[in-house]
Amino acid sequence: MARSRKKLGEILVGWGVLTPEQADKAAQTATSQGKRMGDALVEMGLAKEDQVCKALANQFGMEFVDLSASGAADKVDMKLIPEDLVKKHLILPLAKAGGRLQLIIHDPLDLELQDMLRFRLNTEIDPRLAPRSQIKKYIDQAAAGTARRFEADQSLVTDSIDKSIDKTIDRSVDRSMDKSIDVAADEAPIVKLCNRILSEAVRMRASDVHVEPMNDRVRLRYRIDGVCMERDNLPKRMQNALLSRFKLMASMNIAERRVPQDGRIKLEVDDVMIDYRVSACPAYHGESVVARILRPDSVRIGLANLGFEPDNLAMFNKIIRRPNGIFLVTGPTGSGKTTTLYSALDILNRPDKKIITAEDPVEYNFQGINQCQVRENIGLGFKEILRSMLRQAPNIILVGEIRDKEVAEIAIQAALTGHLVFSTLHTNDAPSAITRLIDMGVKPFLVASSIQAIMAQRLIRVLCPKCKRVAKDDELDPKHLILTGTTLEEARGRAHTNVGCDNCVGTGFRGRKAIFELMNMNSHVRELAFNLAPLVELRRAALASGMRPLVYDGKIKILSGVTTAGEIASATQVDLESQREAEAKASV
C-alpha cells in the first residue's frame, strides 16, 4: 500500500515553524481564496518563502537548492538549455549526465511544464526545488550582466521630436537634400531624425511607424498595442528629405515615386539589432511610408502568455502534438494568427522533427526550421512551394495562408498522407472555416476527414497592472456590458477600468493578449460538414460539443480584471438575437 504524502502544513508544524492553529487558519484562507497553501502562508507572514520551498521539497522527495548560499549559484550552467526557456518558465539548469538534465524549478506541481521540457529538450528531467524569487533574482542579474533590455527613456517619450533634433535641420533641408540624406553623413540632422524616430518607436513598444504626408504637414504616428497614436507633426518642408532618407535606408529606389516599393532596414537599438519591414505607397500628398518593427522575441512569448484559458490551453497542446491532420487558425489581419502558430512551432521544433514553412513574407527567422519565401513575381507561390515541400519528407508543414482551392487541396492531401499541417484562413469565427473551404471548391468529404481543429482569435489590449483599478458602477458602460453578455451584478467588484500612468504612456493599457474560440472536430461536426450543413447548424453543434465563443472567452478576461468590456466589444460581440431565442426557449 502506497504511503500517503504528508501535508505541507503538517511538515511545517513538525519543524516548529507553525502552530497547528496557524496551519488550520492558513488552510482555510487558501481554500476560500482559491490559493495554494504555500502562497497563503507567505502572504499571511506565517512562513518565509524559503521555508515553504524546503517543506515542498520534503513533501515531494526533491532536493532543495538554496541559491543564496555561498557557491550554489556557481553550479548553474546556463548554456545547457535555450535562454528563452529559462526566462519564460523561471528554470535554471545545473548539469547534464547519463541522459538526464538536473533542473532547478520552483513549482513541483507543474507537471505539464516538466512534460513539455522533456519533449522540447529531448531528455529526462531530474528536478530540484528553489524559491521562485531566488531563481528570478539570478536570471535578472545574469541578464543585467549581458544586455540591456528595451526601456522607455522618458526624455524620448515626452520631448517633441522636432524640438529635440538640431534646429539646423531646417536650413540643411533648404540648402541641400542630397547632403542631408547621404548615408556617409551620419551626423546630418535628417539622418539623426530618422534614426531617432525608429529607435524611439522600439522603446515605446510600437509595432509600426507611420509617416504620412498631409496637405500642410507630415504626420508621424506609432501603432502601440494595436492602436495608432499621433506622436508629432513635422514641417512640410522636411517631407522630401525625410521620405528619401527612409527609402535610402530600406534600399529602395528614391527616384521612383509612382509605384509602391518594399524594403528592409536593420538598425541597432540599445545594443540589439532590430529589423524593420518598410513599405512605401504613393498617396495624394506624397508617399506614405510604414515601417513594421519585427522583434524575434515577440513570437517566443510562450503559449501560456498568449491568453489561453486553462481548458483551451490543454486542448491546444493536445491538438498540436497530433501526428497528422490540418489545424487552422482564423481571424482578420493583425489578430495574432502567425504569432500563435509560431509559438506552437517553437514548442515542436526538436532535432527529431523536420519542419518546413511557406510564408509571404518570412518575417521571423527560426533556427532548425526550413522557411521558404513566396515570390509571386518569379512564379513561386504557395502551391509551388507546397508541392516541393512534400518531396522533402517533412513531419510538420506550415502554410502561411490558404488563399485558393489549389493550395487548400494540396494541404489536405499532405494531411491525409501523414503530415501535420498548420495554416491560416480569413473568417470571422471557427465554424465558418468549414463553409469557406467548401465554397472555394474543396470536396466536403476531404474537409470533413482532414481537419482536426479550427481556432478563431482576436487581439485585445490588456490593462496596465500598475494603474488599473476596480471600476465603479457608473464607470461600467451598459452598452458594452450588453454586447459582451455581462450583467452589472457579474461585473460589480470584478471588472476593472483603465486609468493611465507613465508605465502605459497614459493609455491605461500595456500589452495585448488573445481571446480564442477553439473548435475540435468531433464525429457529429464531421458528419454535418460532409452533408453540407448550413453554418448555423455547424455552430450549434460546435457549441454543444464544448466550444466557447470568442465573446465568452473575452467575458472571462473582463471578470478577471485582465481587460475592459469596451475592449472585448470592439473585437467581438454577443449575438443578441440568438441570446434572446435561447432565453425564450429556457423560459418555456
Side-chain angles (χ1 to χ4, degrees):
M1 185 176 172
R3 184 171 59 88
S4 61
R5 185 180 288 154
K6 263 191 168 185
K7 292 183 178 179
L8 183 64
E10 292 174 359
I11 296 171
L12 291 170
V13 169
W15 290 355
V17 176
L18 300 176
T19 64
E21 293 76 18
Q22 288 175 326
D24 291 339
K25 184 180 178 183
Q28 290 171 6
T29 302
T31 303
S32 64
Q33 295 183 4
K35 296 179 179 176
R36 291 186 181 178
M37 177 73 167
D39 295 335
L41 286 168
V42 174
E43 287 181 13
M44 294 169 71
L46 298 175
K48 295 179 180 177
E49 187 186 13
D50 59 335
Q51 292 174 327
V52 170
C53 193
K54 283 179 185 176
L56 284 170
N58 180 281
Q59 184 183 23
F60 288 91
M62 298 168 67
E63 182 182 328
F64 174 76
V65 179
D66 185 1
L67 290 169
S68 63
S70 177
D74 297 335
K75 297 177 182 177
V76 175
D77 187 356
M78 298 283 275
K79 296 177 183 177
L80 290 174
I81 64 175
E83 187 182 355
D84 63 312
L85 289 180
V86 171
K87 292 178 179 178
K88 192 187 303 176
H89 303 293
L90 293 181
I91 55 176
L92 292 173
L94 285 173
K96 191 172 184 179
R100 298 182 70 87
L101 176 67
Q102 295 178 11
L103 198 67
I104 299 176
I105 62 174
H106 61 84
D107 185 358
L109 293 171
D110 194 350
L111 301 179
E112 188 177 339
L113 170 63
Q114 295 180 42
D115 286 341
M116 184 276 291
L117 291 171
R118 283 191 195 95
F119 185 82
R120 171 82 185 270
L121 302 172
N122 206 17
T123 185
E124 284 299 313
I125 304 296
D126 190 3
R128 272 63 168 157
L129 214 56
R132 187 180 189 278
S133 60
Q134 288 188 14
I135 297 174
K136 191 172 187 309
K137 184 179 178 183
Y138 181 92
I139 294 171
D140 289 344
Q141 287 175 345
T146 54
R148 297 200 309 267
R149 294 189 175 190
F150 296 132
E151 292 178 358
D153 183 346
Q154 284 308 114
S155 66
L156 288 176
V157 176
T158 54
D159 291 349
S160 167
I161 287 180
D162 103 302
K163 287 181 182 176
S164 60
I165 294 297
D166 187 350
K167 287 297 178 185
T168 56
I169 188 167
D170 295 338
R171 294 191 296 276
S172 71
V173 170
D174 293 336
R175 276 200 313 271
S176 170
M177 187 189 80
D178 293 332
K179 287 184 180 178
S180 66
I181 63 168
D182 186 4
V183 176
D186 292 333
E187 295 304 311
I190 197 71
V191 173
K192 290 194 288 184
L193 172 61
C194 292
N195 289 346
R196 194 178 184 92
I197 289 171
L198 293 173
S199 57
E200 182 194 60
V202 170
R203 295 187 183 102
M204 290 180 69
R205 303 179 299 105
S207 59
D208 300 271
V209 177
H210 296 260
V211 181
E212 302 162 317
M214 312 294 281
N215 181 40
D216 56 349
R217 67 190 191 282
V218 179
R219 183 169 66 174
L220 175 65
R221 296 194 291 174
Y222 298 155
R223 187 180 294 277
I224 301 174
D225 294 333
V227 177
C228 277
M229 298 176 60
E230 191 163 310
R231 176 63 184 88
D232 219 325
N233 287 307
L234 305 173
K236 184 71 174 176
R237 61 179 174 273
M238 292 168 56
Q239 176 177 315
N240 289 339
L242 188 70
L243 298 180
S244 296
R245 175 59 189 169
F246 274 124
K247 290 171 69 176
L248 201 62
M249 292 174 77
S251 301
M252 296 179 188
N253 180 2
I254 62 173
E256 181 57 79
R257 301 181 184 181
R258 300 164 300 170
V259 296
Q261 295 186 72
D262 294 309
R264 293 182 95 106
I265 295 174
K266 282 189 177 291
L267 186 70
E268 190 173 316
V269 180
D270 294 341
D271 300 331
V272 177
M273 192 60 71
I274 301 296
D275 200 9
Y276 303 81
R277 194 181 77 209
V278 185
S279 170
C281 182
Y284 188 75
H285 294 293
E287 289 174 290
S288 170
V289 173
V290 178
R292 165 66 59 89
I293 301 170
L294 305 176
R295 294 187 181 88
D297 56 331
S298 66
V299 290
R300 291 188 174 96
I301 59 176
L303 291 179
N305 297 320
L306 289 176
F308 281 107
E309 297 302 321
D311 55 344
N312 276 346
L313 179 58
M315 190 186 298
F316 184 84
N317 272 311
K318 288 178 184 175
I319 291 164
I320 64 173
R321 287 174 172 83
R322 288 178 181 174
N324 54 43
I326 294 182
F327 176 50
L328 290 175
V329 180
T330 76
T333 303
S335 58
K337 301 186 297 294
T338 304
T339 299
T340 299
L341 290 179
Y342 272 147
S343 298
L345 290 185
D346 197 32
I347 290 173
L348 301 174
N349 185 16
R350 291 175 52 189
D352 58 341
K353 298 284 185 186
K354 170 127 182 169
I355 303 174
I356 306 181
T357 72
E359 302 170 61
D360 183 21
V362 174
E363 292 188 351
Y364 303 99
N365 182 251
F366 279 75
Q367 288 188 354
I369 296 179
N370 303 276
Q371 295 173 272
C372 304
Q373 168 84 49
V374 169
R375 298 183 189 278
E376 297 286 0
N377 59 328
I378 60 169
L380 185 64
F382 279 116
K383 56 181 178 289
E384 288 80 16
I385 293 175
L386 260 175
R387 287 197 190 99
S388 176
M389 272 184 185
L390 298 177
R391 294 192 287 272
Q392 295 273 317
N395 300 102
I396 299 164
I397 294 170
L398 182 143
V399 185
E401 183 186 343
I402 293 179
R403 294 178 178 173
D404 54 42
K405 177 186 175 183
E406 200 168 357
V407 173
E409 286 183 338
I410 299 171
I412 286 170
Q413 290 302 326
L416 294 175
T417 52
H419 302 86
L420 180 61
V421 181
F422 294 135
S423 190
T424 68
L425 204 61
H426 290 286
T427 62
N428 289 327
D429 60 5
S432 298
I434 294 173
T435 54
R436 175 85 177 93
L437 287 171
I438 293 171
D439 286 345
M440 278 184 184
V442 181
K443 293 180 176 62
F445 76 90
L446 289 175
V447 174
S449 58
S450 63
I451 294 178
Q452 296 289 345
I454 304 167
M455 186 170 75
Q457 68 177 73
R458 300 287 188 280
L459 284 179
I460 48 102
R461 291 187 295 171
V462 174
L463 286 166
C464 173
K466 292 194 176 180
C467 65
K468 71 174 182 179
R469 60 171 174 79
V470 176
K472 299 172 184 174
D473 285 2
D474 59 351
E475 291 174 325
L476 295 168
D477 190 327
K479 291 180 183 176
H480 290 156
L481 293 179
I482 291 168
L483 290 172
T484 56
T486 310
T487 64
L488 183 59
E489 289 70 27
E490 287 176 319
R492 187 174 288 132
R494 299 171 69 184
H496 286 60
T497 187
N498 54 313
V499 179
C501 64
D502 291 340
N503 185 53
C504 56
V505 202
T507 62
F509 297 94
R510 186 177 174 90
R512 289 191 290 175
K513 284 192 175 181
I515 53 174
F516 301 97
E517 180 177 276
L518 184 52
M519 183 179 84
N520 206 4
M521 291 286 284
N522 57 25
S523 56
H524 184 37
V525 177
R526 290 185 197 280
E527 186 180 350
L528 289 172
F530 179 75
N531 292 322
L532 296 174
L535 179 59
V536 175
E537 285 187 35
L538 285 168
R539 184 162 185 81
R540 192 178 294 131
L543 293 171
S545 65
M547 181 186 80
R548 183 166 56 242
L550 280 167
V551 68
Y552 290 119
D553 199 51
K555 182 178 175 180
I556 293 172
K557 290 174 174 58
I558 295 169
L559 299 181
S560 58
V562 173
T563 189
T564 64
E567 273 296 301
I568 300 299
S570 68
T572 180
Q573 297 175 4
V574 82
D575 185 346
L576 295 175
E577 189 174 338
S578 298
Q579 190 179 40
R580 288 191 198 101
E581 286 179 11
E583 288 171 355
K585 287 179 182 177
S587 63
V588 174

